[in-house]
């Protein structure tokens, strides 16, 4: 049986958002799905193609979220679908730790080629970003024989016990879930809009804390998002990441780049670390790696990964063959369509419009981002005081008009744009016009 998914070309609203069919599903959900798992926009999706989502009421929405930076190649990208289909026919699971298969090895080969640096590398595959980050810490601890892990203000690294400890924000990610893993130390990062520091100054402040409060010879790993994701799409000032990376090299600490959200062409490079020529010792990846199937990886220096004895890393599903097939299809698409340059084009189209909107309205204190990882930080006019309430209203207004945008930020005051990198100029333009309209509408209320 050949199944062909519907592939609409335009935003089309047939009912209010969410419509009656989605609302009925939402009622069923409330009676059976745990309240602790929430949804930004409860329209129930029946199909998705390129940059469009179609819901149970027949509405078609523009997707500026990509399932949180996952479908970088677009929904139902042909190379992903074809490879998944074939792999699902051949076999869906053996467990790589029992009887291995080529797809896993091919994904690790690709990761070795694509991640920054030309040194000898190894990779290990997992299921989620949190699992990848957690394993990067395990690897760093075994390889260094040290325990301390340094993380930053506004960081987000996941929801498992160790990654909750690495994550900064309490509500909703940590509140009530303690006790948290020990030997995790938080220091200030670089948030140019709020700290006004150069990259060198911010790094000096962070490094002073590390040296005074932990001691350079105690640090196993410095774990950092090259651009912070959930914390507010915070792009560090130039020089910050290189200074930390240099410090790690000088002190025998492992520099771990959490590229879970920034990876796979999202920021206009294969990886955001490359923007300042930073070569991490370990890179954690997930999300965009496999076009929507659950896959994650740690890639890095051979001597670090090979320090862990056999059996120390792995898991039943890590590097599942169908997920590996999806990753190979996704990487093939990114290479073939040069999606890194598409991401840069998206940034060039979006940033001037967000800046103009900021100048016009006065409610956006900072416009930032790189490639197709873009953000507007909402504040009360003339101040840096976060305006989370307006941010939520703007997002809601976009949703009502059929554009899926997400918010983020420690203060909940950032609208973030993460469109699929393959999104057409026409849909990008239309989605932006909706966002502009939503901001104007909400400030005139
Ligand atoms: N690290 C970063 C930077 C992330 O953005 C996320 C997810 N938002 C994670 C880790 C956790 O990934 P996952 O949800 O796949 O566990």
């Amino acid at each position: 049986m050949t199944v062909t998914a519907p592939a609409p070309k335009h935003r089309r609203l047939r009912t209010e958002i969410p419509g009656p069919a989605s609302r009925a599903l939402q009622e069923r959900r409330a009676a059976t799905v745990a309240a602790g798992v929430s949804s930004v926009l409860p329209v129930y999706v029946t199909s998705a193609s390129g940059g469009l989502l179609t819901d149970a009421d027949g509405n078609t929405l523009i997707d500026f979220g990509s399932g949180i930076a996952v479908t970088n190649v677009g929904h139902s990208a042909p190379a992903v679908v074809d490879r998944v289909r074939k792999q699902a026919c051949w076999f869906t699971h053996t467990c790589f730790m029992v009887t291995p298969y080529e797809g896993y090895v091919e994904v690790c080969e690709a990761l070795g080629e694509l991640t920054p640096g030309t040194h000898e590398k190894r990779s290990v595959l997992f299921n989620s970003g949190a699992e990848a980050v957690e394993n990067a810490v395990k690897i760093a601890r075994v390889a260094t024989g040290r325990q301390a892990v340094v993380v930053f203000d506004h960081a987000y690294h996941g929801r498992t016990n160790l990654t909750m400890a690495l994550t900064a924000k309490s509500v909703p990610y940590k509140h009530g879930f303690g006790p948290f893993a020990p030997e995790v130390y938080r220091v200030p990062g670089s948030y140019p809009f709020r700290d006004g520091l150069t990259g060198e100054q911010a790094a000096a402040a962070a490094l002073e804390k590390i040296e005074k409060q932990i001691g350079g010879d105690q640090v196993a790993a410095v774990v950092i998002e090259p651009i912070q994701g959930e914390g507010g799409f915070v792009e560090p000032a130039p020089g910050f990441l290189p200074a930390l990376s240099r410090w790690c090299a000088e002190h025998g600490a492992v520099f771990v780049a959490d590229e879970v959200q920034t990876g796979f062409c999202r920021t206009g490079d294969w990886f955001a670390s490359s923007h300042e020529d930073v070569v991490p010792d370990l890179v954690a990846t997930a999300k965009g790696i496999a076009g929507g199937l659950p896959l994650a990886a740690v890639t890095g220096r051979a001597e670090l990964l090979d320090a862990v004895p056999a059996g120390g890393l792995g898991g039943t599903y890590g590097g599942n063959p169908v997920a590996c097939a999806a990753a190979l299809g996704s990487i093939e698409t990114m290479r073939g369509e040069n999606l890194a340059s598409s991401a840069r084009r998206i940034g060039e189209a979006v940033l001037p419009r967000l800046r103009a909107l900021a100048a016009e309205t006065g409610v956006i204190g900072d416009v930032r981002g790189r490639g197709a990882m873009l953000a507007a930080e909402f504040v009360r006019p003339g101040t840096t005081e976060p305006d989370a309430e307006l941010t939520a209203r703007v997002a809601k207004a976009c949703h009502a008009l059929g554009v899926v945008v997400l918010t983020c930020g420690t203060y909940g005051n950032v609208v973030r744009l993460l469109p699929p990198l393959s999104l057409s100029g026409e849909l990008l333009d239309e989605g932006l016009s909706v966002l502009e309209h939503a901001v104007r509408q909400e400030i005139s209320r």
Side-chain angles (χ1 to χ4, degrees):
M1 182 183 61
T2 309
V3 186
T4 331
K9 298 269 175 287
H10 303 286
R11 178 173 63 115
R12 184 186 56 188
L13 299 187
R14 288 190 160 163
T15 68
E16 70 278 22
I17 302 288
S22 280
R23 290 201 302 271
L25 281 161
Q26 185 69 0
E27 268 184 40
R28 272 172 59 195
R29 166 196 176 137
T32 191
V33 178
V37 56
S38 62
S39 298
V40 170
L41 171 58
V43 298
Y44 282 72
V45 173
T46 51
S47 67
S49 167
L52 293 166
L53 304 170
T54 298
D55 74 9
D57 292 284
N59 299 301
T60 299
L61 296 85
I62 297 176
D63 187 5
F64 272 6
S66 302
I68 322 189
V70 170
T71 51
N72 292 4
V73 293
H75 294 282
S76 311
V80 174
V81 174
D82 285 351
R83 285 187 185 248
V84 163
R85 221 180 230 157
K86 268 193 210 134
Q87 183 58 50
C89 290
W90 290 338
F91 62 95
T92 54
H93 178 78
T94 62
C95 187
F96 193 75
M97 300 186 306
V98 179
T99 48
Y101 39 86
E102 188 177 357
Y104 190 118
V105 179
E106 272 186 278
V107 170
C108 294
E109 286 168 348
L111 286 165
E113 283 166 26
L114 297 171
T115 50
T118 53
H119 50 280
E120 195 177 344
K121 294 175 198 160
R122 302 281 185 271
S123 291
V124 51
L125 304 183
F126 302 101
N127 305 293
S128 71
E131 227 190 317
V133 174
E134 179 140 358
N135 276 278
V137 170
K138 285 169 60 176
I139 293 162
R141 283 180 169 157
V142 167
T144 59
R146 306 175 184 175
Q147 294 186 352
V149 180
V150 175
V151 289
F152 295 84
D153 286 343
H154 310 289
Y156 181 88
H157 297 291
R159 286 181 164 92
T160 59
N161 187 262
L162 176 57
T163 57
M164 272 194 296
L166 305 181
T167 289
K169 192 170 175 175
S170 173
V171 177
Y173 306 126
K174 304 170 72 163
H175 190 73
F177 293 129
F180 303 111
E183 285 305 314
V184 173
Y185 299 86
R186 190 171 311 285
V187 299
S190 169
Y191 195 156
F193 175 60
R194 294 198 170 274
D195 64 25
L197 301 176
T198 66
E200 287 75 14
Q201 290 166 335
L207 292 172
E208 188 186 312
K209 278 226 157 97
I210 295 171
E211 293 191 351
K212 294 281 175 293
Q213 296 185 12
I214 314 166
D217 61 350
Q218 299 296 300
V219 177
V222 172
V223 180
I224 189 159
E225 301 153 88
I227 299 177
Q228 291 182 319
E230 304 307 311
F233 278 30
V234 183
E235 199 181 356
F240 181 71
L241 292 176
L244 293 177
S245 156
R246 269 195 310 275
W247 183 90
C248 285
E250 284 160 17
H251 291 79
V254 177
F255 184 87
V256 180
D258 177 349
E259 293 251 16
V260 167
Q261 191 154 167
T262 48
F264 291 97
C265 301
R266 174 54 57 189
T267 66
D269 266 309
W270 278 96
F271 295 96
S273 303
S274 302
H275 186 70
E276 287 190 88
D277 295 324
V278 168
V279 178
D281 300 308
L282 297 177
V283 184
T285 54
K287 291 192 187 281
I289 189 175
L293 272 84
L295 190 73
V298 178
T299 302
R301 296 190 184 281
E303 65 276 18
L304 298 178
L305 277 117
D306 286 345
V308 180
L313 302 173
T316 305
Y317 294 116
N320 167 272
V322 183
C324 285
L328 295 171
S330 171
I331 291 167
E332 177 189 316
T333 307
M334 288 182 205
R335 279 185 163 137
E337 297 181 10
N338 194 358
L339 290 185
S341 79
S342 306
R344 291 195 291 273
R345 271 202 306 280
I346 289 173
E348 283 158 18
V350 173
L351 285 170
R353 287 187 54 179
L354 291 181
R355 289 193 187 115
L357 188 64
E360 173 196 325
T361 61
V363 294
I364 298 171
D366 195 29
V367 168
R368 54 181 179 255
R370 206 184 296 156
M373 183 170 184
L374 298 153
E377 177 159 358
F378 286 77
V379 292
R380 302 205 187 279
T383 72
T384 57
E385 196 189 324
D387 194 343
E389 194 249 336
L390 175 62
T391 310
R393 279 191 357 238
V394 166
K396 214 168 165 198
C398 289
H399 300 163
L401 293 166
V403 177
V404 180
V405 296
L406 307 174
T407 61
C408 64
T410 298
Y411 314 108
N413 67 326
V414 176
V415 168
R416 57 171 152 172
L417 306 181
L418 290 163
L421 309 182
S422 56
L423 192 74
S424 71
E426 198 189 331
L427 286 179
L428 182 67
D429 179 53
E430 188 178 336
L432 277 176
S433 299
V434 166
L435 173 63
E436 289 161 347
H437 170 83
V439 174
R440 291 184 190 120
Q441 170 186 298
E442 292 308 313
I443 57 178
S444 64
R445 270 177 196 271

